[in-house]
Amino acid sequence: MDGLSLSLGVVSAVLQTYTAVTSAYDVYLSVRDFPSTYRELRTAFMVERYRLEQWGDQMLSGVQQQRVEKSHHNMAVWKLFQAVFDAMWAAFQESNKTLEDYGHIVGVSKSEDMSAPYQRSDLPPDLELLESMQLSVKQPPKRSILGLARTIKFVLRDKKKMEALVKELCYWNDSLDKMTSRLEQESMRRRLRVRFSTGNIDDLQQLQAAAALLEHHDLEKMASARTVIEKGYSNEPPSQLLDPQSIPSRAPTPNPESDFRLEMNQLDFHGLPFMTDQSRAMATYRGEGIIVDWRLCRDDTWRRQNPKAFRQRTENLTRVLNSDLKALDVAVLHCVGYLDQSSTVTGYAFRVPPEANPRQKPVTLHQLLTNVKTTSDVPDLGDRFELAKVLVSTVFEILNIGWLHKNIQPKNVLIWPKSGTKDAWDYSKPYLVGFDISRPNQPGEVSEKPLSNPDDDIYRHPDYRTHNSRPFLPSFDMYSLGILLFEIGTWRTVGYQGVRRSSRPSLETHKSDPNFIEKVVMDGPVMDLKRHMGAKYRDAVVACLNQEFDAIWDQETVFDSPEARLQDFQTEVQMKVVDAIAVCSA
């Protein structure tokens, strides 16, 4: 047998076995009377089925098949694929044997007897295909998919056997993932989180339980954080989801109405509040370094007229920022509580990063961009890529859990020095702050605006700068992120772009134009990014700034669910921005 025929045989066998395994999953998922007492196992099967599907889309494509046909080295990898798929099928078969024995114990009706004959014409097309093909290269399966369907209901009565099966399938999916690159693995995990993000609290709780069973920590934390948001929005108490180590339970003067409200005398402030483009203060709380982010909005009328609603939103925001989001690689400081300076001014207290000096004041990205005196003040290309990757991932994951930041700009990005240094800034560990006017991505939520000035307003979407602006959209956060990415690429503030052209109006007047970015950045300078950062980086910035994500969000039809709308949006963002930036390297 020549090499080409051998390669084609391996490819054909892999594709057949892959189809058989995915159909076996579908048989389990098609059962309607899944016991309600452990619905999380059905969710677990859905998770593993989707993991296998997206792996297949990535690795069993026509391009990959052509590669194996051209190279015997690639054929060896496909033989590994075959071995894993054979193991998956064996797991289903083993479960099927258990089910058959279990069925005899509990009694199987005569019409469902495994030995009962059936007509091939009664099979659905995909099951007929499975009956006709050999699932391992050596021999056909011992039990048909139809037999699996006839006995599947018995395994549903034994939770331990269900758990054992889905855990084994998870193990083999993990094995398949390890045959891909790190970037491919990260991309597939992002798609997985997008696929299962939902606003339904019951579904989130099932997902959280399923993810915990399978040790998918990122899915578990995503579900936990979004549950906090959805329960806060629906006014349900989410206390059982809080991190018990993070709650200030030993406060000298506890407030019975709040788990997170702190009193000013509980913090030991290090001097007066300092300005890092915003008002912030360093303090010590229970022996830990704390940074307090003092915040107020442009118009506090709603806060004054709706004190209970404002307090509810403050509590909910603190709960979200108190969640453990490390598994999602979200660059957000851990919030331990909030303080009231007045009825409308709130300070959010964050732990200083563990790698930072507790008394070391951070700088903002804005300060670094505006204090460039020599070329040595410009970070290396690799550092700028790392900074961009962290911020892109953070904004993406925040949107995916159903939250809107609404004030993304370089003044709200904090950076500390590397451990043991005073001014060697750690660009790989920026932290996004400024969440005071953020809110859930829910219809009908009151949308506050930040304080307005020309330097800050240029980071806002044109449709959000007008007096009668439309409600804030996820695409508006992506627009602001695009401006940050442009600044990181050029290492100067976006407002600096107008300085070079003397024919333009005064800079202050020009910044007040809602179309400032379109006129000053999109008309030339953004294309220069290719020389500095490469084509993929430039295209990602353009995708954010040309407002194409607005059009994607606005494509909603009456048949779209909120989850489907966000999934479609996030899928486009991941493809055009997140994954594109992720592959950039110096």
Side-chain angles (χ1 to χ4, degrees):
M1 180 180 293
D2 59 36
L4 178 59
S5 298
L6 184 62
S7 297
L8 291 173
V10 171
V11 170
S12 177
V14 168
L15 295 178
Q16 287 182 348
T17 316
Y18 171 79
T19 303
V21 172
T22 55
S23 295
Y25 268 110
D26 293 340
V27 171
Y28 272 75
L29 294 174
S30 66
V31 176
R32 295 182 179 179
D33 54 348
F34 227 93
S36 59
T37 52
Y38 47 94
R39 283 174 47 216
E40 70 273 9
L41 286 177
R42 186 176 191 278
T43 301
F45 275 99
M46 291 173 63
V47 168
E48 295 309 316
R49 169 67 171 81
Y50 183 75
R51 290 183 67 198
L52 180 62
E53 178 184 352
Q54 68 169 344
W55 184 92
D57 291 343
Q58 181 81 19
M59 301 301 295
L60 303 181
S61 64
V63 174
Q64 297 287 358
Q65 292 177 41
Q66 291 175 7
R67 289 177 180 172
V68 73
E69 292 168 6
K70 295 179 179 179
S71 171
H72 293 303
H73 296 291
N74 287 322
M75 188 178 68
V77 176
W78 277 62
K79 286 183 177 180
L80 287 177
F81 296 166
Q82 177 67 44
V84 174
F85 291 147
D86 282 343
M88 286 183 168
W89 179 253
F92 278 113
Q93 289 295 100
E94 185 64 30
S95 176
N96 193 20
K97 293 176 184 177
T98 302
L99 292 178
E100 185 176 0
D101 295 339
Y102 196 68
H104 288 314
I105 295 175
V106 300
V108 183
S109 66
K110 195 168 186 178
S111 61
E112 295 180 330
D113 192 337
M114 289 295 296
S115 62
Y118 61 90
Q119 299 295 322
R120 184 169 297 278
S121 59
D122 296 333
L123 289 173
D126 57 338
L127 297 187
E128 183 176 351
L129 171 65
L130 293 172
E131 283 292 288
S132 65
M133 68 184 182
Q134 295 184 351
L135 295 175
S136 77
V137 180
K138 297 180 180 179
Q139 60 181 4
K142 296 181 180 179
R143 181 66 65 187
S144 69
I145 280 285
L146 184 64
L148 185 63
R150 285 177 170 175
T151 56
I152 191 73
K153 66 181 181 180
F154 295 111
V155 80
L156 302 180
R157 301 182 185 182
D158 194 323
K159 187 173 183 179
K160 290 184 178 179
K161 289 183 173 61
M162 281 276 286
E163 289 181 350
L165 174 58
V166 76
K167 282 183 176 181
E168 183 171 357
L169 295 171
C170 176
Y171 170 82
W172 291 117
N173 272 335
D174 290 343
S175 300
L176 291 172
D177 285 349
K178 291 176 182 177
M179 299 183 199
T180 64
S181 68
R182 176 184 60 83
L183 291 176
E184 288 171 330
Q185 291 177 42
E186 292 174 353
S187 179
M188 288 190 291
R189 295 307 297 189
R190 281 191 287 267
R191 290 200 294 272
L192 184 68
R193 294 193 292 271
V194 168
R195 167 62 179 80
F196 287 94
S197 183
T198 174
N200 185 292
I201 294 176
D202 289 339
D203 289 346
L204 287 170
Q205 291 176 333
Q206 302 301 331
L207 176 63
Q208 190 173 349
L213 172 69
L214 301 175
E215 298 185 0
H216 293 319
H217 301 301
D218 58 337
L219 267 186
E220 182 183 4
K221 296 305 181 182
M222 184 273 289
S224 175
R226 182 140 196 193
T227 301
V228 171
I229 291 172
E230 297 299 332
K231 285 196 170 187
Y233 178 72
S234 62
N235 295 322
E236 292 186 36
S239 56
Q240 69 272 23
L241 296 170
L242 301 180
D243 179 0
Q245 297 180 352
S246 307
I247 300 175
S249 57
R250 295 178 293 171
T253 55
N255 182 349
E257 299 179 356
S258 170
D259 289 320
F260 291 105
R261 184 175 179 180
L262 305 177
E263 301 297 333
M264 297 288 285
N265 60 8
Q266 293 178 249
L267 275 67
D268 179 18
F269 286 93
H270 306 162
L272 297 174
F274 64 97
M275 296 297 294
T276 56
D277 312 306
Q278 305 287 341
S279 181
R280 298 184 172 103
M282 303 296 294
T284 301
Y285 174 65
R286 295 182 181 172
E288 291 186 292
I290 297 292
I291 183 169
V292 180
D293 198 15
W294 292 107
R295 291 288 170 164
L296 66 161
C297 62
R298 183 187 308 181
D299 183 355
D300 63 2
T301 302
W302 176 79
R303 298 185 178 190
R304 288 185 286 101
Q305 294 180 350
N306 301 273
K308 290 185 178 181
F310 174 53
R311 182 62 55 228
Q312 174 84 25
R313 178 175 288 187
T314 302
E315 287 277 345
N316 292 341
L317 173 59
T318 307
R319 285 191 177 94
V320 174
L321 298 177
N322 177 263
S323 302
D324 183 4
L325 303 176
K326 292 180 182 178
L328 302 180
D329 293 326
V330 175
V332 174
L333 295 171
H334 190 255
C335 184
V336 298
Y338 66 91
L339 303 98
D340 292 326
Q341 191 178 76
S342 68
S343 60
T344 59
V345 179
T346 301
Y348 294 90
F350 297 95
R351 284 192 174 103
V352 171
E355 68 273 9
N357 183 331
R359 290 181 173 270
Q360 173 71 55
K361 296 177 181 178
V363 297
T364 67
L365 177 57
H366 183 266
Q367 287 176 300
L368 295 174
L369 293 171
T370 54
N371 290 321
V372 178
K373 296 181 175 62
T374 67
T375 55
S376 62
D377 295 324
V378 179
D380 294 338
L381 182 60
D383 288 335
R384 282 182 281 158
F385 278 141
E386 289 305 310
L387 175 60
K389 291 174 185 179
V390 174
L391 294 177
V392 165
S393 176
T394 297
V395 174
F396 178 80
E397 298 296 347
I398 288 173
L399 293 176
N400 198 52
I401 62 174
W403 201 262
L404 302 173
H405 186 281
K406 297 181 58 191
N407 197 12
I408 297 173
Q409 59 165 301
K411 294 178 181 179
N412 285 329
V413 177
L414 300 183
I415 299 176
W416 271 267
K418 294 179 181 179
S419 179
T421 68
K422 291 185 177 180
D423 56 3
W425 308 108
D426 192 347
Y427 296 104
S428 67
K429 295 181 180 178
Y431 292 92
L432 185 63
V433 292
F435 284 88
D436 57 303
I437 60 166
S438 65
R439 64 171 177 83
N441 182 18
Q442 297 281 4
E445 276 281 296
V446 175
S447 190
E448 296 183 292
K449 290 189 175 183
L451 294 176
S452 177
N453 66 70
D455 286 328
D456 294 344
D457 287 344
I458 58 176
Y459 295 95
R460 316 201 199 291
H461 191 283
D463 291 348
Y464 201 62
R465 293 180 63 177
T466 59
H467 180 68
N468 296 317
S469 61
R470 64 186 300 189
F472 198 91
L473 304 177
S475 57
F476 292 4
D477 269 342
M478 291 306 302
Y479 182 87
S480 301
L481 175 63
I483 301 175
L484 253 66
L485 294 177
F486 175 79
E487 292 184 327
I488 292 170
T490 61
W491 207 253
R492 58 176 174 238
T493 62
V494 69
Y496 181 80
Q497 301 300 318
V499 174
R500 299 178 300 173
R501 301 185 181 184
S502 59
S503 60
R504 292 188 178 276
S506 67
L507 185 61
E508 201 68 14
T509 302
H510 191 61
K511 287 180 182 178
S512 65
D513 186 344
N515 296 312
F516 175 86
I517 298 299
E518 179 181 356
K519 295 178 179 179
V520 176
V521 176
M522 298 298 286
D523 183 19
V526 73
M527 293 302 159
D528 293 340
L529 280 178
K530 181 180 179 180
R531 292 190 296 109
H532 301 293
M533 308 293 283
K536 289 184 180 296
Y537 190 99
R538 177 206 59 194
D539 293 345
V541 174
V542 171
C544 293
L545 298 182
N546 67 7
Q547 302 179 38
E548 65 179 273
F549 292 130
D550 296 353
I552 293 171
W553 185 262
D554 288 338
Q555 287 176 352
E556 179 193 26
T557 69
V558 293
F559 304 103
D560 289 336
S561 67
E563 288 78 14
R565 189 183 195 185
L566 182 61
Q567 287 173 12
D568 290 344
F569 175 84
Q570 288 288 85
T571 298
E572 292 294 318
V573 169
Q574 177 174 348
M575 178 179 64
K576 295 180 178 180
V577 180
V578 187
D579 287 352
I581 296 291
V583 300
C584 294
S585 61

